[in-house]
Amino acid sequence: MQLLYVRYLANRPVDEIQCVAQTRRRHRCTSPLLTPETLAGFWTLVPITATHAQLPLHGAAMAVYALTGLPYAEQLRWWAQRCSEHAATPATADVAVVEWEPFDPLIHHQHIRTRLPTLTRRQGPADRSGRETQS
Ligand SMILES: [Zn+2]
């Protein structure tokens, strides 16, 4: 996840990231951050860079869910890990801490995907024998 120009590792899939605010019943809000009503980010490939030395590692790319195109307030909402409803009520207490972990390619290398998620779902067997004849 790329958010406010920083890369973070979430502890669950993007569409399952849950609001951390406390409900009136003192339970954790179960609303996801990403809903059909909210602005969505997009998957993109970015160079793998070390956190401190911003140098590309191996010239490789990895898939990130980028929120950089979203309005600043919307990125702040993700960073605060709140659903649309609780982002509008900042006074509401958080019942859980935000689950973002600053992404470090050396520590989190097992989470690196070098292909975009949609491109990994191939239909049928992969043809590695060569290019298909263009018709
Ligand atoms: Zn909420």
mmCIF file of all heavy atoms in Angstrom, residues 44-87:
data_model
loop_
_atom_site.group_PDB
_atom_site.id
_atom_site.type_symbol
_atom_site.label_atom_id
_atom_site.label_comp_id
_atom_site.label_asym_id
_atom_site.label_seq_id
_atom_site.Cartn_x
_atom_site.Cartn_y
_atom_site.Cartn_z
ATOM 1 N N THR A 44 -0.398 -0.810 -8.995
ATOM 2 C CA THR A 44 0.626 -0.383 -9.933
ATOM 3 C C THR A 44 1.944 -1.047 -9.555
ATOM 4 O O THR A 44 2.116 -1.520 -8.430
ATOM 5 C CB THR A 44 0.756 1.156 -9.925
ATOM 6 O OG1 THR A 44 1.690 1.543 -10.928
ATOM 7 C CG2 THR A 44 1.218 1.683 -8.580
ATOM 8 N N LEU A 45 2.848 -1.089 -10.511
ATOM 9 C CA LEU A 45 4.168 -1.638 -10.250
ATOM 10 C C LEU A 45 5.130 -0.501 -9.967
ATOM 11 O O LEU A 45 5.166 0.487 -10.698
ATOM 12 C CB LEU A 45 4.660 -2.451 -11.446
ATOM 13 C CG LEU A 45 3.935 -3.769 -11.702
ATOM 14 C CD1 LEU A 45 4.423 -4.398 -12.998
ATOM 15 C CD2 LEU A 45 4.113 -4.736 -10.542
ATOM 16 N N VAL A 46 5.888 -0.619 -8.892
ATOM 17 C CA VAL A 46 6.860 0.412 -8.525
ATOM 18 C C VAL A 46 8.205 -0.262 -8.285
ATOM 19 O O VAL A 46 8.260 -1.441 -7.953
ATOM 20 C CB VAL A 46 6.422 1.171 -7.249
ATOM 21 C CG1 VAL A 46 5.125 1.915 -7.474
ATOM 22 C CG2 VAL A 46 6.298 0.226 -6.075
ATOM 23 N N PRO A 47 9.298 0.467 -8.442
ATOM 24 C CA PRO A 47 10.604 -0.117 -8.142
ATOM 25 C C PRO A 47 10.693 -0.492 -6.665
ATOM 26 O O PRO A 47 10.188 0.236 -5.805
ATOM 27 C CB PRO A 47 11.595 1.002 -8.482
ATOM 28 C CG PRO A 47 10.839 1.955 -9.341
ATOM 29 C CD PRO A 47 9.399 1.839 -8.921
ATOM 30 N N ILE A 48 11.311 -1.608 -6.401
ATOM 31 C CA ILE A 48 11.518 -2.016 -5.012
ATOM 32 C C ILE A 48 12.672 -1.198 -4.461
ATOM 33 O O ILE A 48 13.786 -1.270 -4.956
ATOM 34 C CB ILE A 48 11.832 -3.516 -4.916
ATOM 35 C CG1 ILE A 48 10.674 -4.331 -5.492
ATOM 36 C CG2 ILE A 48 12.115 -3.914 -3.473
ATOM 37 C CD1 ILE A 48 10.980 -5.811 -5.604
ATOM 38 N N THR A 49 12.388 -0.418 -3.435
ATOM 39 C CA THR A 49 13.427 0.420 -2.847
ATOM 40 C C THR A 49 13.554 0.114 -1.373
ATOM 41 O O THR A 49 12.582 -0.208 -0.700
ATOM 42 C CB THR A 49 13.095 1.916 -3.012
ATOM 43 O OG1 THR A 49 11.789 2.147 -2.491
ATOM 44 C CG2 THR A 49 13.157 2.344 -4.455
ATOM 45 N N ALA A 50 14.775 0.206 -0.891
ATOM 46 C CA ALA A 50 14.998 0.049 0.540
ATOM 47 C C ALA A 50 14.411 1.258 1.256
ATOM 48 O O ALA A 50 14.330 2.342 0.695
ATOM 49 C CB ALA A 50 16.477 -0.093 0.835
ATOM 50 N N THR A 51 14.006 1.069 2.490
ATOM 51 C CA THR A 51 13.311 2.121 3.216
ATOM 52 C C THR A 51 14.203 3.334 3.448
ATOM 53 O O THR A 51 13.793 4.470 3.257
ATOM 54 C CB THR A 51 12.829 1.595 4.575
ATOM 55 O OG1 THR A 51 12.063 0.424 4.338
ATOM 56 C CG2 THR A 51 11.974 2.626 5.282
ATOM 57 N N HIS A 52 15.431 3.098 3.831
ATOM 58 C CA HIS A 52 16.288 4.219 4.199
ATOM 59 C C HIS A 52 17.073 4.729 2.994
ATOM 60 O O HIS A 52 16.926 5.863 2.592
ATOM 61 C CB HIS A 52 17.212 3.811 5.344
ATOM 62 C CG HIS A 52 16.432 3.361 6.538
ATOM 63 N ND1 HIS A 52 15.627 4.218 7.257
ATOM 64 C CD2 HIS A 52 16.291 2.155 7.111
ATOM 65 C CE1 HIS A 52 15.031 3.547 8.237
ATOM 66 N NE2 HIS A 52 15.420 2.299 8.166
ATOM 67 N N ALA A 53 17.855 3.860 2.412
ATOM 68 C CA ALA A 53 18.514 4.231 1.167
ATOM 69 C C ALA A 53 17.509 3.993 0.051
ATOM 70 O O ALA A 53 17.112 2.864 -0.184
ATOM 71 C CB ALA A 53 19.748 3.374 0.958
ATOM 72 N N GLN A 54 17.054 5.022 -0.574
ATOM 73 C CA GLN A 54 16.025 4.861 -1.597
ATOM 74 C C GLN A 54 16.650 4.387 -2.910
ATOM 75 O O GLN A 54 16.534 5.026 -3.943
ATOM 76 C CB GLN A 54 15.280 6.176 -1.809
ATOM 77 C CG GLN A 54 14.432 6.573 -0.624
ATOM 78 C CD GLN A 54 13.173 5.727 -0.499
ATOM 79 O OE1 GLN A 54 12.537 5.442 -1.500
ATOM 80 N NE2 GLN A 54 12.821 5.323 0.705
ATOM 81 N N LEU A 55 17.316 3.277 -2.830
ATOM 82 C CA LEU A 55 17.958 2.729 -4.015
ATOM 83 C C LEU A 55 17.200 1.502 -4.488
ATOM 84 O O LEU A 55 16.834 0.664 -3.679
ATOM 85 C CB LEU A 55 19.406 2.326 -3.692
ATOM 86 C CG LEU A 55 20.329 3.477 -3.296
ATOM 87 C CD1 LEU A 55 21.645 2.923 -2.763
ATOM 88 C CD2 LEU A 55 20.590 4.384 -4.483
ATOM 89 N N PRO A 56 16.986 1.385 -5.779
ATOM 90 C CA PRO A 56 16.275 0.203 -6.273
ATOM 91 C C PRO A 56 17.070 -1.065 -5.982
ATOM 92 O O PRO A 56 18.287 -1.091 -6.109
ATOM 93 C CB PRO A 56 16.174 0.457 -7.776
ATOM 94 C CG PRO A 56 16.406 1.913 -7.945
ATOM 95 C CD PRO A 56 17.329 2.312 -6.835
ATOM 96 N N LEU A 57 16.379 -2.107 -5.546
ATOM 97 C CA LEU A 57 17.019 -3.384 -5.290
ATOM 98 C C LEU A 57 16.838 -4.272 -6.514
ATOM 99 O O LEU A 57 15.720 -4.526 -6.927
ATOM 100 C CB LEU A 57 16.401 -4.069 -4.076
ATOM 101 C CG LEU A 57 16.532 -3.335 -2.737
ATOM 102 C CD1 LEU A 57 15.804 -4.121 -1.658
ATOM 103 C CD2 LEU A 57 17.981 -3.146 -2.364
ATOM 104 N N HIS A 58 17.907 -4.731 -7.059
ATOM 105 C CA HIS A 58 17.893 -5.677 -8.179
ATOM 106 C C HIS A 58 17.156 -5.134 -9.401
ATOM 107 O O HIS A 58 16.840 -5.882 -10.295
ATOM 108 C CB HIS A 58 17.244 -7.006 -7.785
ATOM 109 C CG HIS A 58 17.600 -7.461 -6.415
ATOM 110 N ND1 HIS A 58 18.896 -7.662 -6.022
ATOM 111 C CD2 HIS A 58 16.827 -7.745 -5.341
ATOM 112 C CE1 HIS A 58 18.901 -8.060 -4.755
ATOM 113 N NE2 HIS A 58 17.675 -8.104 -4.320
ATOM 114 N N GLY A 59 16.814 -3.861 -9.405
ATOM 115 C CA GLY A 59 16.049 -3.318 -10.520
ATOM 116 C C GLY A 59 14.671 -3.926 -10.651
ATOM 117 O O GLY A 59 14.044 -3.843 -11.686
ATOM 118 N N ALA A 60 14.205 -4.553 -9.589
ATOM 119 C CA ALA A 60 12.929 -5.259 -9.647
ATOM 120 C C ALA A 60 11.766 -4.337 -9.313
ATOM 121 O O ALA A 60 11.941 -3.299 -8.689
ATOM 122 C CB ALA A 60 12.951 -6.440 -8.690
ATOM 123 N N ALA A 61 10.590 -4.738 -9.736
ATOM 124 C CA ALA A 61 9.381 -3.979 -9.446
ATOM 125 C C ALA A 61 8.463 -4.825 -8.578
ATOM 126 O O ALA A 61 8.526 -6.053 -8.575
ATOM 127 C CB ALA A 61 8.679 -3.581 -10.728
ATOM 128 N N MET A 62 7.623 -4.163 -7.841
ATOM 129 C CA MET A 62 6.640 -4.882 -7.028
ATOM 130 C C MET A 62 5.294 -4.183 -7.137
ATOM 131 O O MET A 62 5.199 -3.005 -7.453
ATOM 132 C CB MET A 62 7.084 -4.948 -5.569
ATOM 133 C CG MET A 62 7.100 -3.600 -4.879
ATOM 134 S SD MET A 62 7.449 -3.789 -3.123
ATOM 135 C CE MET A 62 7.155 -2.113 -2.554
ATOM 136 N N ALA A 63 4.250 -4.946 -6.871
ATOM 137 C CA ALA A 63 2.895 -4.408 -6.947
ATOM 138 C C ALA A 63 2.545 -3.696 -5.645
ATOM 139 O O ALA A 63 2.796 -4.214 -4.566
ATOM 140 C CB ALA A 63 1.904 -5.543 -7.205
ATOM 141 N N VAL A 64 2.016 -2.489 -5.760
ATOM 142 C CA VAL A 64 1.498 -1.781 -4.592
ATOM 143 C C VAL A 64 0.095 -1.279 -4.908
ATOM 144 O O VAL A 64 -0.240 -1.011 -6.063
ATOM 145 C CB VAL A 64 2.357 -0.566 -4.150
ATOM 146 C CG1 VAL A 64 3.745 -0.993 -3.750
ATOM 147 C CG2 VAL A 64 2.391 0.496 -5.217
ATOM 148 N N TYR A 65 -0.711 -1.168 -3.879
ATOM 149 C CA TYR A 65 -2.023 -0.550 -4.013
ATOM 150 C C TYR A 65 -1.832 0.921 -3.685
ATOM 151 O O TYR A 65 -1.621 1.287 -2.526
ATOM 152 C CB TYR A 65 -3.017 -1.206 -3.062
ATOM 153 C CG TYR A 65 -4.443 -0.781 -3.311
ATOM 154 C CD1 TYR A 65 -5.146 -1.252 -4.418
ATOM 155 C CD2 TYR A 65 -5.093 0.086 -2.449
ATOM 156 C CE1 TYR A 65 -6.447 -0.877 -4.650
ATOM 157 C CE2 TYR A 65 -6.406 0.466 -2.673
ATOM 158 C CZ TYR A 65 -7.070 -0.024 -3.774
ATOM 159 O OH TYR A 65 -8.370 0.352 -4.013
ATOM 160 N N ALA A 66 -1.857 1.753 -4.712
ATOM 161 C CA ALA A 66 -1.505 3.163 -4.546
ATOM 162 C C ALA A 66 -2.746 4.010 -4.286
ATOM 163 O O ALA A 66 -3.733 3.935 -5.022
ATOM 164 C CB ALA A 66 -0.787 3.666 -5.787
ATOM 165 N N LEU A 67 -2.659 4.818 -3.241
ATOM 166 C CA LEU A 67 -3.722 5.773 -2.931
ATOM 167 C C LEU A 67 -3.270 7.197 -3.232
ATOM 168 O O LEU A 67 -3.936 8.160 -2.868
ATOM 169 C CB LEU A 67 -4.101 5.656 -1.451
ATOM 170 C CG LEU A 67 -4.703 4.309 -1.046
ATOM 171 C CD1 LEU A 67 -4.786 4.208 0.462
ATOM 172 C CD2 LEU A 67 -6.072 4.118 -1.651
ATOM 173 N N THR A 68 -2.122 7.307 -3.881
ATOM 174 C CA THR A 68 -1.511 8.614 -4.096
ATOM 175 C C THR A 68 -2.371 9.535 -4.950
ATOM 176 O O THR A 68 -2.235 10.746 -4.872
ATOM 177 C CB THR A 68 -0.131 8.454 -4.744
ATOM 178 O OG1 THR A 68 -0.160 7.361 -5.648
ATOM 179 C CG2 THR A 68 0.921 8.206 -3.708
ATOM 180 N N GLY A 69 -3.265 8.984 -5.766
ATOM 181 C CA GLY A 69 -4.108 9.830 -6.600
ATOM 182 C C GLY A 69 -5.336 10.351 -5.883
ATOM 183 O O GLY A 69 -6.063 11.186 -6.420
ATOM 184 N N LEU A 70 -5.548 9.879 -4.663
ATOM 185 C CA LEU A 70 -6.740 10.286 -3.928
ATOM 186 C C LEU A 70 -6.529 11.644 -3.254
ATOM 187 O O LEU A 70 -5.396 12.027 -2.973
ATOM 188 C CB LEU A 70 -7.081 9.241 -2.859
ATOM 189 C CG LEU A 70 -8.024 8.109 -3.281
ATOM 190 C CD1 LEU A 70 -7.499 7.359 -4.488
ATOM 191 C CD2 LEU A 70 -8.224 7.149 -2.129
ATOM 192 N N PRO A 71 -7.627 12.347 -2.932
ATOM 193 C CA PRO A 71 -7.491 13.613 -2.194
ATOM 194 C C PRO A 71 -6.772 13.382 -0.867
ATOM 195 O O PRO A 71 -6.863 12.299 -0.289
ATOM 196 C CB PRO A 71 -8.937 14.049 -1.960
ATOM 197 C CG PRO A 71 -9.723 13.356 -3.009
ATOM 198 C CD PRO A 71 -9.022 12.053 -3.274
ATOM 199 N N TYR A 72 -6.091 14.416 -0.409
ATOM 200 C CA TYR A 72 -5.301 14.318 0.816
ATOM 201 C C TYR A 72 -6.150 13.841 1.994
ATOM 202 O O TYR A 72 -5.738 12.971 2.772
ATOM 203 C CB TYR A 72 -4.690 15.695 1.117
ATOM 204 C CG TYR A 72 -3.758 15.703 2.294
ATOM 205 C CD1 TYR A 72 -2.533 15.039 2.228
ATOM 206 C CD2 TYR A 72 -4.090 16.380 3.454
ATOM 207 C CE1 TYR A 72 -1.670 15.050 3.308
ATOM 208 C CE2 TYR A 72 -3.229 16.399 4.535
ATOM 209 C CZ TYR A 72 -2.016 15.732 4.454
ATOM 210 O OH TYR A 72 -1.167 15.745 5.526
ATOM 211 N N ALA A 73 -7.359 14.378 2.121
ATOM 212 C CA ALA A 73 -8.236 14.003 3.236
ATOM 213 C C ALA A 73 -8.570 12.514 3.187
ATOM 214 O O ALA A 73 -8.690 11.855 4.218
ATOM 215 C CB ALA A 73 -9.514 14.828 3.204
ATOM 216 N N GLU A 74 -8.724 12.013 1.971
ATOM 217 C CA GLU A 74 -9.049 10.602 1.824
ATOM 218 C C GLU A 74 -7.852 9.723 2.197
ATOM 219 O O GLU A 74 -8.014 8.668 2.818
ATOM 220 C CB GLU A 74 -9.481 10.347 0.376
ATOM 221 C CG GLU A 74 -10.065 8.993 0.108
ATOM 222 C CD GLU A 74 -11.415 8.743 0.790
ATOM 223 O OE1 GLU A 74 -11.925 9.650 1.475
ATOM 224 O OE2 GLU A 74 -11.920 7.624 0.642
ATOM 225 N N GLN A 75 -6.655 10.177 1.861
ATOM 226 C CA GLN A 75 -5.467 9.435 2.265
ATOM 227 C C GLN A 75 -5.281 9.473 3.777
ATOM 228 O O GLN A 75 -4.868 8.492 4.384
ATOM 229 C CB GLN A 75 -4.229 9.996 1.569
ATOM 230 C CG GLN A 75 -4.265 9.775 0.063
ATOM 231 C CD GLN A 75 -2.933 10.101 -0.575
ATOM 232 O OE1 GLN A 75 -1.897 9.602 -0.175
ATOM 233 N NE2 GLN A 75 -2.965 10.948 -1.595
ATOM 234 N N LEU A 76 -5.603 10.618 4.377
ATOM 235 C CA LEU A 76 -5.551 10.711 5.838
ATOM 236 C C LEU A 76 -6.535 9.741 6.483
ATOM 237 O O LEU A 76 -6.257 9.151 7.518
ATOM 238 C CB LEU A 76 -5.872 12.139 6.295
ATOM 239 C CG LEU A 76 -4.745 13.150 6.276
ATOM 240 C CD1 LEU A 76 -5.265 14.488 6.795
ATOM 241 C CD2 LEU A 76 -3.556 12.688 7.105
ATOM 242 N N ARG A 77 -7.685 9.576 5.850
ATOM 243 C CA ARG A 77 -8.682 8.645 6.375
ATOM 244 C C ARG A 77 -8.110 7.220 6.378
ATOM 245 O O ARG A 77 -8.257 6.490 7.364
ATOM 246 C CB ARG A 77 -9.953 8.692 5.521
ATOM 247 C CG ARG A 77 -11.032 7.723 5.962
ATOM 248 C CD ARG A 77 -12.289 7.879 5.148
ATOM 249 N NE ARG A 77 -12.213 7.281 3.826
ATOM 250 C CZ ARG A 77 -12.357 5.957 3.589
ATOM 251 N NH1 ARG A 77 -12.579 5.128 4.579
ATOM 252 N NH2 ARG A 77 -12.283 5.490 2.364
ATOM 253 N N TRP A 78 -7.458 6.852 5.314
ATOM 254 C CA TRP A 78 -6.841 5.519 5.262
ATOM 255 C C TRP A 78 -5.742 5.402 6.308
ATOM 256 O O TRP A 78 -5.616 4.396 6.981
ATOM 257 C CB TRP A 78 -6.266 5.272 3.867
ATOM 258 C CG TRP A 78 -7.284 4.792 2.886
ATOM 259 C CD1 TRP A 78 -8.173 5.550 2.196
ATOM 260 C CD2 TRP A 78 -7.531 3.434 2.489
ATOM 261 N NE1 TRP A 78 -8.948 4.759 1.393
ATOM 262 C CE2 TRP A 78 -8.573 3.459 1.552
ATOM 263 C CE3 TRP A 78 -6.961 2.208 2.845
ATOM 264 C CZ2 TRP A 78 -9.062 2.294 0.964
ATOM 265 C CZ3 TRP A 78 -7.439 1.061 2.243
ATOM 266 C CH2 TRP A 78 -8.491 1.108 1.316
ATOM 267 N N TRP A 79 -4.943 6.445 6.419
ATOM 268 C CA TRP A 79 -3.835 6.403 7.371
ATOM 269 C C TRP A 79 -4.360 6.260 8.798
ATOM 270 O O TRP A 79 -3.804 5.528 9.611
ATOM 271 C CB TRP A 79 -2.994 7.669 7.217
ATOM 272 C CG TRP A 79 -1.797 7.677 8.098
ATOM 273 C CD1 TRP A 79 -0.627 6.992 7.909
ATOM 274 C CD2 TRP A 79 -1.648 8.392 9.317
ATOM 275 N NE1 TRP A 79 0.232 7.245 8.955
ATOM 276 C CE2 TRP A 79 -0.376 8.097 9.827
ATOM 277 C CE3 TRP A 79 -2.484 9.257 10.031
ATOM 278 C CZ2 TRP A 79 0.095 8.635 11.014
ATOM 279 C CZ3 TRP A 79 -2.014 9.789 11.221
ATOM 280 C CH2 TRP A 79 -0.738 9.489 11.692
ATOM 281 N N ALA A 80 -5.461 6.956 9.097
ATOM 282 C CA ALA A 80 -6.082 6.846 10.414
ATOM 283 C C ALA A 80 -6.885 5.557 10.535
ATOM 284 O O ALA A 80 -7.384 5.234 11.609
ATOM 285 C CB ALA A 80 -6.985 8.046 10.684
ATOM 286 N N GLN A 81 -7.027 4.848 9.450
ATOM 287 C CA GLN A 81 -7.758 3.585 9.363
ATOM 288 C C GLN A 81 -9.182 3.725 9.886
ATOM 289 O O GLN A 81 -9.592 3.034 10.808
ATOM 290 C CB GLN A 81 -6.984 2.479 10.092
ATOM 291 C CG GLN A 81 -7.252 1.103 9.494
ATOM 292 C CD GLN A 81 -6.442 0.018 10.170
ATOM 293 O OE1 GLN A 81 -5.317 0.237 10.591
ATOM 294 N NE2 GLN A 81 -7.004 -1.174 10.269
ATOM 295 N N ARG A 82 -9.901 4.621 9.256
ATOM 296 C CA ARG A 82 -11.291 4.837 9.640
ATOM 297 C C ARG A 82 -12.211 4.731 8.429
ATOM 298 O O ARG A 82 -11.849 5.144 7.336
ATOM 299 C CB ARG A 82 -11.462 6.214 10.280
ATOM 300 C CG ARG A 82 -10.961 6.245 11.708
ATOM 301 C CD ARG A 82 -11.053 7.617 12.302
ATOM 302 N NE ARG A 82 -10.788 7.545 13.733
ATOM 303 C CZ ARG A 82 -11.654 7.953 14.663
ATOM 304 N NH1 ARG A 82 -12.792 8.497 14.333
ATOM 305 N NH2 ARG A 82 -11.364 7.834 15.941
ATOM 306 N N CYS A 83 -13.398 4.223 8.666
ATOM 307 C CA CYS A 83 -14.393 4.152 7.612
ATOM 308 C C CYS A 83 -14.910 5.572 7.343
ATOM 309 O O CYS A 83 -14.621 6.500 8.091
ATOM 310 C CB CYS A 83 -15.539 3.228 8.013
ATOM 311 S SG CYS A 83 -16.525 3.843 9.384
ATOM 312 N N SER A 84 -15.679 5.724 6.291
ATOM 313 C CA SER A 84 -16.169 7.061 5.912
ATOM 314 C C SER A 84 -16.965 7.701 7.040
ATOM 315 O O SER A 84 -16.838 8.895 7.306
ATOM 316 C CB SER A 84 -17.048 6.957 4.664
ATOM 317 O OG SER A 84 -16.314 6.402 3.616
ATOM 318 N N GLU A 85 -17.765 6.905 7.716
ATOM 319 C CA GLU A 85 -18.603 7.437 8.789
ATOM 320 C C GLU A 85 -17.755 7.954 9.951
ATOM 321 O O GLU A 85 -17.966 9.054 10.462
ATOM 322 C CB GLU A 85 -19.545 6.339 9.282
ATOM 323 C CG GLU A 85 -20.521 6.807 10.346
ATOM 324 C CD GLU A 85 -21.265 5.642 10.991
ATOM 325 O OE1 GLU A 85 -21.341 4.572 10.357
ATOM 326 O OE2 GLU A 85 -21.738 5.801 12.123
ATOM 327 N N HIS A 86 -16.762 7.176 10.377
ATOM 328 C CA HIS A 86 -15.956 7.577 11.521
ATOM 329 C C HIS A 86 -14.883 8.600 11.166
ATOM 330 O O HIS A 86 -14.375 9.285 12.050
ATOM 331 C CB HIS A 86 -15.341 6.342 12.191
ATOM 332 C CG HIS A 86 -16.343 5.573 12.996
ATOM 333 N ND1 HIS A 86 -16.703 4.286 12.706
ATOM 334 C CD2 HIS A 86 -17.085 5.951 14.069
ATOM 335 C CE1 HIS A 86 -17.634 3.892 13.579
ATOM 336 N NE2 HIS A 86 -17.881 4.879 14.409
ATOM 337 N N ALA A 87 -14.553 8.709 9.895
ATOM 338 C CA ALA A 87 -13.638 9.775 9.489
ATOM 339 C C ALA A 87 -14.308 11.130 9.689
ATOM 340 O O ALA A 87 -13.658 12.142 9.924
ATOM 341 C CB ALA A 87 -13.231 9.596 8.029
#
